[in-house]
């Protein structure tokens, strides 16, 4: 097994799918010549030509719309939105066309599009390049939403997403891009909608996803020293969401902390707690805790920025609350 | 006499007016076919309002009446494999592209046999099997996706063409400008057709645009652009021919502003109280169906007898469609509630 | 006190504010000559002129943006989005400009805009004219979100919203427009962020808002016949949200049902349950219940449509669960 | 010799090239003032990159270098009460509108004394007190709000004017088209200035537009539109004068395409690997500051001595700004964390 970065795992997934299926293509700002700001699509335009890896004008609304339309007539577009913050520009065709087409037209067409969007806080790039807005899309029936956090998952799930006939939004945390991990040589896929247990434990369950999986790991390591055993569930997919795995873990630990990097209010953390209490109120020995970012835009100043998002300490504190 | 005076007045104020002639390459057979299609659209649309009043059809219903020459004029150049993108006023586009009035009527009735299995209704009418990509409730929003179908043709280097319709109101949606730019940049095989009926519900184009000749926007983006007389199917046909050929040859997009005037209310029950209908009335004289019929009679292209037959047939088809939708179709089963939210039978509750 | 419709209460609020403050103006599709599809702005253009009540082209993204900019330089725009579904088109300047301006520019400017958006299911107008997307905005720090459900509240809260220096989104349920209620003659305002207790009760608390307040009333009446006493809290404002009132009620009833018309997944119902368990887990004698719409786009067929949204029976069933 | 040959080559390929002359009404004093402003912008911008490399400044930083003539040429017509809307490349706009380099530098350092109290940084630089409405990280998104400030002037019937900047890349954002249409429809007092440097990061305008002369888009929306030589401050000043007067007189918007070429990388560390810099190099010969200086020297408008003084003063101001930001300003207090999310001191956690 090769050890590669998450960034490379995305490139691999896209390259293999471009080669496998001539209906797959990539479009977005600077995905071609420049190979995307993070180098993720580097070389692909040369390899597959200017009609398979398409540099777009700064027209997020319409180029996403073009992708949606191309999907309706049988293509499998990979549309890249440079930062998840810019999804606002493309909301209409994502929500009102991509998500609703199959239903609204009675199954006459599918929209097998994948929209990739780097998201999350970090690097002092301020309010308009740092957003976590994944729960908007979880709230839109007809979409799927994935957030793979390891190179292995990313490659396998992105490939599944490309082959899925429903529209999928893939949120990629910018801080995860350089994370390395093992990825097998040959072809493999990972089904959408299955969570992964990152760490087995018996005292408290942490339900999280994306970059917060790593921060939760740090917290778990620290807690381990005190003999507190944490089970970490990396959801990987937010819609569909694998409540079977979540509830099985809670059945064991009877305590749960849900961690998201999104501003807590209106985030998926509430959604998950809502489902947990519906599905297993009696399993809970303590109130489920939610940890999320503070409810502010993201500041430029890095000290302020650091205050916004959950740190290891915040997660540890939440875990302790479940143990009080 | 009054009629002549009115016609002169129209010619003065309706600058897009063009006299009719049969353009090169347009056969009699094709003319009759186009005429029949226009009549079928008209009869279909005329039948919906009473059904709406009778509560058989609900939701928002926007008739294509007096726009028939636009859709039919250009779509008659298309093949089955070509695509069209539509507006909120989509019935005419469905019929022109070869759709089935029975399934369309069934959809308006909300029946399971309808195009959209009762999920969509008038505002979302679609027949993907003939390349009619669907009407939309978000004005302007269907343009970018339709240009996406042209993007497919460009990627695959096939020679099929996409025609996309939008109104003068929809034209002000930014994603259309964005789409025009991309189509021009990459020479996508698409024809933009702006059905400029000069009104967006109760908003006169003059109050919300600085340049009322909308074809000039196409020029700004580097797209060959034309204004045609939207009441004149011959004019529409001729300009469309060039546009479709250009697209099919891979030479890029064309913008056609089909100028017309909305003669009816915006939707089923809109009585036009907000506008001066005395200006509008006279335009019935150049409404596209009668105008074509008169021209064809004058030029011995058609007989009165043929005209009558075409009309009768259209009425029959529409009556049959109503009968079908009303009595032979069924309500969608409630068990199928989650169908089509996702694909391949996947259900995510 | 006059009895007027909720529709009229909106007109009154806007007319009074237009007269009171020359910085107030209205813009939107067909708000002028036509007086909006529901007749809400009828007559206002005549009364205040074409520069105070402005008919816009179908350019939701930019006319909302114009409103945001006008607010930055001191105006108090009332921007109307014809249907909440179309908010997708205006998302960017709402989220990335209106909500973030005050913060991102360090308090140099405010954005005292009010965006009115009719929302909700009803009338068989299908997938693109029926949306409940209020939780997207609750998830955006910097915005306020209100959902008044009575003519009295609507008038008083809309006036407060217009005078508020932060951006406010006002969701108006189409089914509420014809509801009648008492409205005092003179000037009054209602502060944003205070819930109203619509019905006092002691057995179960229903937390809800907008049209669902009325459906909950029906449920409560039915339950009353069986001797089950329901307390109904109409939140009126979703951001800020009055958890004091919510928790005080739960402290009394120890049972809660949260009802929204939004598709349940990713909705504010989860958010509210999340907060309730954080704030008062020990108060709960039964798992909090959430009632929401099914997670599908809204169908045209009215039988299917009826299946989507919560009915009296669904609420009753949820109440019973808390009493099991 | 080589220089002359290069200049001839520029004149051939850079169609917007215009020879310099002093337009009617432009005083020497005003020229010196504009020149000084350009130099201050240049010196400020040149100082930021080393600070960025030294980790004193972080985030995204886009220099206004070689664009100085555009911002300064038009903003010099504005009053304090007039407004400007900006791009992601906003430092030059701040300085041209009369902003304070100390507070700007403090903001880049993320300090509490900065314009944005350390919340915004370079990409969101703003000085509302001089009508500089703020830079944006969403390319194209600041245009509609800026046109909103023109809407205010129109509603209030005041005679202040708004100038809004955007790049060739930003120009493809649909909301700009929508905004142009509204400005034209209502004759809003706004001037659209497209800083067409022919590149959007690594994307050459030729690859993503069908019509590279972007001013034609303005025409499509009914807006008087001009292309100017963006390296030539006299050309920019002269065309801007007409545009601002027109706006101030309530006659409506103007569109100015200020054509230029991006001579540096897109941001602090962009090394232009993706483009052929041999084409670009020669344009340094017509970069706006040296070009204006040479012209003024040749025409005895300025002396070498004066030029040197202006440069020295600019350097001094920038050095003082760095000193201020680095040593005299403080980190925002963490207690103030929730400030400004809402207004009037309201805190909603
Ligand atoms: C984005 C959006 N804004 C507003 C509306 C409300 N609306 C429905 S049809 C219509 C007028 C459309 O005018 P036009 O595009 O000229 O088409 P026409 O009805 O004249 O054929 C409007 C404003 C809508 N459906 N979508
Ligand atoms: C909506 C949006 N899309 C993409 C980007 C990424 N981006 C930042 S600057 C830029 C290029 C802008 O080009 P242009 O408008 O020509 O301005 P220039 O940088 O050339 O001055 C891009 C694509 C962005 N910030 N916002
Ligand atoms: Mg129209
Ligand atoms: Mg540029």
């Amino acid at each position: 097994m090769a050890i590669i970065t998450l960034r490379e795992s995305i490139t691999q997934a896209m390259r293999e799918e471009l080669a496998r299926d001539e209906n797959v293509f990539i479009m977005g700002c600077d995905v071609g010549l420049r190979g995307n700001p993070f180098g993720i699509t580097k070389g692909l335009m040369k390899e597959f030509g200017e009609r398979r890896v398409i540099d777009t004008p700064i027209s997020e609304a319409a180029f996403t719309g073009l992708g949606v339309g191309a999907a309706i007539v049988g293509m499998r577009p990979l549309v890249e939105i440079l930062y998840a913050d810019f999804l606002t520009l493309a909301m209409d065709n994502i929500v009102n066309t991509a998500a609703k087409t199959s239903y609204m037209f009675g199954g006459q067409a599918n929209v097998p599009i994948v929209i990739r969007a780097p998201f999350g806080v970090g690097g002092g790039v301020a309010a308009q390049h740092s957003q976590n807005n994944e729960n908007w899309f979880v709230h839109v029936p007809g979409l799927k939403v994935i957030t793979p956090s390891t190179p292995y998952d990313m490659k396998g799930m992105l490939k599944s997403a490309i082959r899925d006939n429903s529209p999928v939004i893939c949120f990629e945390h910018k801080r995860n891009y350089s994370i390395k991990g093992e990825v097998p040589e040959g072809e493999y896929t990972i089904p959408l909608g299955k969570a992964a247990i990152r760490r087995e434990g018996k005292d408290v369950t942490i339900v999280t996803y994306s970059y917060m999986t790593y921060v939760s790991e740090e917290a778990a390591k620290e807690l381990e020293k005190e003999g507190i055993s944490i089970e970490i569930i990396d959801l990987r997919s937010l819609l569909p969401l694998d409540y079977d795995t979540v509830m099985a873990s809670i059945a064991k630990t009877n305590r749960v902390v849900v961690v998201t990097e999104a501003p807590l209010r209106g985030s998926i953390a509430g959604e998950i707690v809502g489902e947990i209490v519906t599905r297993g109120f009696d399993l809970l020995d303590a109130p489920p805790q939610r940890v999320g970012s503070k409810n502010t835009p993201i500041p430029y100043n890095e000290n302020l920025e650091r205050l916004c998002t959950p740190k290891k300490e915040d997660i540890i504190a939440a875990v302790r609350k479940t143990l009080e | 006499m009054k009629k002549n005076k009115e016609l002169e007045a129209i010619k003065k104020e309706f600058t897009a007016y063009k006299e009719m002639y049969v353009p090169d390459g347009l056969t009699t057979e094709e003319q009759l076919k186009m005429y029949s299609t226009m009549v079928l659209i008209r009869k279909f649309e005329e039948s919906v309002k009473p059904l709406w009043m009778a509560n058989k059809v609900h939701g928002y219903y926007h008739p294509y009446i007096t726009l028939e020459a636009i859709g039919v004029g250009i779509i008659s150049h298309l093949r089955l494999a070509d695509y069209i993108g539509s507006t909120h006023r989509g019935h005419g586009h469905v019929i022109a592209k070869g759709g089935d009035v029975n399934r369309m009527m069934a959809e308006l009735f909300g029946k399971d046999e309808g195009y959209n299995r009762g999920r969509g209704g008038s505002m979302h009418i679609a027949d993907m099997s003939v390349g009619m990509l669907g009407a939309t409730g978000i004005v302007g929003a269907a343009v970018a996706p339709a240009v996406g179908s042209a993007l497919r043709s460009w990627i695959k280097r096939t020679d099929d063409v996409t025609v996309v319709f939008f109104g003068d109101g929809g034209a002000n949606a930014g994603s259309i400008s964005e789409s025009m730019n991309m189509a021009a940049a990459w020479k996508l095989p698409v024809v933009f057709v702006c059905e400029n009926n000069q009104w967006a519900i109760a908003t006169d184009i003059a109050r919300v645009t600085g340049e009322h000749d909308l074809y000039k926007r196409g020029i700004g983006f580097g797209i060959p652009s034309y204004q045609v007389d939207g009441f004149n199917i011959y004019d529409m046909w001729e300009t469309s021919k060039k546009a479709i050929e250009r697209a099919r040859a891979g030479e890029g997009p064309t913008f056609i502003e089909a100028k017309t005037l909305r003669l009816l209310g915006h939707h089923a029950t809109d009585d036009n109280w907000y506008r001066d209908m005395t200006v509008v009335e006279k335009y019935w004289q150049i409404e596209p169906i009668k105008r074509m019929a008169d021209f064809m009679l004058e030029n011995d292209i058609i007989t009165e007898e043929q005209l009558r037959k075409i009309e009768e047939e259209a009425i029959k088809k529409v009556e049959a469609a109503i009968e079908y939708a009303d009595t032979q179709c069924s309500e969608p089963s409630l068990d199928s509630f989650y169908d089509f939210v996702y694909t391949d039978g996947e259900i995510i509750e």
Side-chain angles (χ1 to χ4, degrees), chain B residues 166-197:
Chain B
F166 51 97
D168 52 294
N172 297 321
S175 64
I176 297 185
S177 292
E178 294 183 354
S179 300
M180 289 202 286
N181 177 56
M182 281 186 273
W186 303 327
K187 296 193 182 303
L188 301 184
V190 59
V191 182
F192 295 93
V193 179
C194 179
E195 300 177 330
N196 179 3
N197 65 2

Side-chain angles (χ1 to χ4, degrees), chain B residues 58 60 108 110 118-119 124 137 172 201 203 207 273 331-332 349:
Chain B
H58 68 274
Y60 291 124
L108 268 51
R119 268 89 174 154
H124 303 303
N172 297 321
I201 309 188
T203 301
R207 298 177 62 231
W273 63 267
E331 283 284 309
E349 291 194 2

Side-chain angles (χ1 to χ4, degrees), chain B residues 215-345:
Chain B
Y215 72 93
K216 292 192 184 158
R217 295 193 187 176
I219 297 173
F221 288 103
I223 300 176
S225 301
Y226 307 90
Q227 189 179 58
V228 313
D229 177 350
F231 291 113
N232 176 342
I233 192 160
Y234 295 102
D235 193 23
M236 188 66 204
W237 187 90
E238 189 176 22
T239 305
S240 302
K241 184 166 188 282
K242 282 189 293 193
I244 301 291
E245 283 170 359
R246 184 178 141 81
R248 215 179 285 294
E251 289 161 14
T254 301
F255 185 105
I256 299 175
E257 177 195 352
K259 186 135 184 192
T260 178
L261 180 65
R262 203 185 77 212
L263 306 188
L264 292 188
H266 172 71
H267 55 63
T269 54
D270 174 15
D271 65 1
N272 287 299
W273 63 267
Y274 44 78
R275 54 183 197 146
D276 178 2
M277 292 306 283
T278 61
V279 181
V280 174
E281 277 305 323
K282 61 176 175 293
Y283 282 79
W284 281 106
Q285 196 180 142
I286 60 163
E287 69 87 359
I289 293 181
K290 218 186 134 299
R291 188 158 167 214
M292 186 185 192
D294 289 349
F295 175 84
M296 289 196 298
L297 281 175
E298 272 165 38
N299 292 277
D300 296 325
I301 298 166
I302 204 166
T303 63
E304 292 274 10
E305 174 59 23
Q306 282 174 298
L307 286 177
R308 198 168 25 224
K309 253 181 112 174
I310 288 171
E311 181 159 349
E312 280 168 14
E313 252 166 57
I315 292 171
K316 242 190 272 166
K317 274 190 195 159
V318 172
E319 282 172 353
I322 296 171
E323 168 80 11
Y324 171 73
D326 202 18
T327 66
Q328 295 165 47
C329 295
S330 46
E331 283 284 309
S333 98
L334 299 186
D335 293 345
S336 73
F337 181 73
Y338 282 102
D339 289 1
F340 315 124
V341 179
Y342 291 90
T343 56
D344 306 310

Side-chain angles (χ1 to χ4, degrees), chain B residues 131-187:
Chain B
M132 195 290 190
L133 296 169
T136 182
I138 316 285
V139 169
V143 171
V147 176
S149 93
L151 185 73
R152 184 200 63 88
S153 309
W154 176 80
I155 294 171
K156 298 279 203 173
R157 300 178 194 269
T158 62
D159 74 346
D160 35 48
V161 167
T162 299
V163 171
V164 57
F165 298 93
F166 51 97
D168 52 294
N172 297 321
S175 64
I176 297 185
S177 292
E178 294 183 354
S179 300
M180 289 202 286
N181 177 56
M182 281 186 273
W186 303 327
K187 296 193 182 303

Side-chain angles (χ1 to χ4, degrees), chain B residues 7-46:
Chain B
L7 190 60
E8 290 317 307
I10 289 174
K11 289 184 188 177
K12 241 191 223 151
E13 77 186 28
F14 187 65
T15 50
Y17 186 89
K18 236 179 264 164
E19 298 295 345
M20 280 185 163
Y21 59 86
V22 179
D24 274 358
L26 178 58
T27 64
T28 297
E29 194 193 335
E30 182 67 20
Q31 287 174 67
L32 298 192
K33 201 173 149 214
M34 291 200 298
Y35 182 79
S36 307
T37 307
M38 290 210 292
V39 172
L40 182 57
I41 294 172
R42 179 70 56 91
K43 294 299 161 197
F44 184 91
E45 293 295 53
E46 286 176 349

Side-chain angles (χ1 to χ4, degrees), chain A residues 253-272:
Chain A
T253 62
N254 309 115
R255 292 176 161 81
V256 64
V257 176
V258 181
V259 184
T260 175
E261 195 190 74
L264 190 58
R265 188 173 49 234
S267 72
I268 196 170
E271 168 68 19
I272 294 171

